[in-house]
Amino acid sequence: MRWILALIALLSAGAGELAAQGKGIRLWNLTTATISGFQLSPAGKNAWGPNQALNDKDKEVDHDERLRITGVVPGRYDAKVEYRGSRQCFVRDIEIKADAVFSIADKDLKDCNK
């Protein structure tokens, strides 16, 4: 009986910890295409981090899908957005807040190549 109570206490503590962490930072893909690569750099630095699209189950972010962003602290960032077929675009000066969703739409894409 004691081990059941200990297990319940342990599980309750773990659930409380998860709830306190919030949902984290998430990207909402409002572009009309599926994103195959998404990297962030502190605004103006060209110091690109890892491909965040790899955080998704299928390694791509479909239109209207949200992607959990990891290893990034709140601040201002530039984004490198890649699509199938080697198309690449940039989004400049995105404000990223803790436990919040930020979105990217077609109108935000700049300096695209084909």
Side-chain angles (χ1 to χ4, degrees), residues 1-113:
M1 182 69 171
R2 285 185 184 169
W3 67 272
I4 292 174
L5 292 174
L7 181 61
I8 291 171
L10 182 62
L11 290 174
S12 296
E17 235 177 80
L18 287 175
Q21 290 176 3
K23 291 187 177 185
I25 298 169
R26 292 157 336 272
L27 161 69
W28 188 5
N29 179 13
L30 295 177
T31 68
T32 54
T34 297
I35 294 173
S36 58
F38 186 81
Q39 294 174 275
L40 292 168
S41 169
K45 300 287 184 188
N46 284 331
W48 303 106
N51 181 1
Q52 297 283 337
L54 298 178
N55 297 340
D56 191 70
K57 285 184 246 177
D58 66 359
K59 311 298 184 221
E60 294 184 318
V61 188
D62 299 322
H63 165 74
D64 200 28
E65 182 178 8
R66 294 183 189 199
L67 171 71
R68 185 175 194 105
I69 302 296
T70 60
V72 173
V73 297
R76 294 213 164 266
Y77 291 86
D78 294 333
K80 186 188 304 184
V81 184
E82 296 176 19
Y83 296 97
R84 295 178 191 151
S86 301
R87 181 174 177 229
Q88 180 176 300
C89 300
F90 294 90
V91 181
R92 305 286 181 198
D93 202 31
I94 302 167
E95 182 177 10
I96 294 180
K97 297 178 181 178
D99 293 325
V101 176
F102 67 96
S103 63
I104 292 178
D106 288 336
K107 66 179 178 57
D108 302 319
L109 302 173
K110 308 289 183 220
D111 303 322
C112 295
N113 66 14

